[in-house]
Amino acid sequence: MANASTVYEISQLLPKEERMRLFNMLKDELRPEEVSPKIKKMKKRKTIDYTEEDALAYLFNALKIE
């Protein structure tokens, strides 16, 4: 009876292109169906642009330096 180690050793004898093909076949088969089609993109959060002066002011305030 074959196990994963045996199959892995045999796969190492394949050319790289065929190993990639095997990998993609296994990945497609093992990917949970309930996850892949329902992937949602997260909304980008708007970030505030801080200046160097803002950063220094924050640090001085946080460290209580005047």
Side-chain angles (χ1 to χ4, degrees):
M1 186 154 115
N3 60 25
S5 296
T6 305
V7 174
Y8 176 78
E9 289 175 19
I10 293 170
S11 72
Q12 293 303 301
L13 301 174
L14 294 170
K16 186 174 183 175
E17 296 81 18
E18 287 298 310
R19 277 188 282 157
M20 290 301 296
R21 185 170 172 244
L22 175 62
F23 172 76
N24 287 329
M25 290 166 58
L26 290 169
K27 182 178 65 171
D28 290 343
E29 179 182 333
L30 298 174
R31 179 182 300 142
E33 292 180 16
E34 61 274 1
V35 173
S36 59
K38 296 181 181 178
I39 294 175
K40 295 181 181 179
K41 291 186 178 181
M42 294 181 67
K43 293 181 182 179
K44 282 190 175 181
R45 295 182 185 171
K46 293 184 180 180
T47 57
I48 301 170
D49 290 330
Y50 292 104
T51 64
E52 187 175 335
E53 290 80 20
D54 294 332
L56 289 173
Y58 173 79
L59 286 174
F60 290 151
N61 188 29
L63 299 173
K64 296 180 172 63
I65 300 174
E66 291 189 28

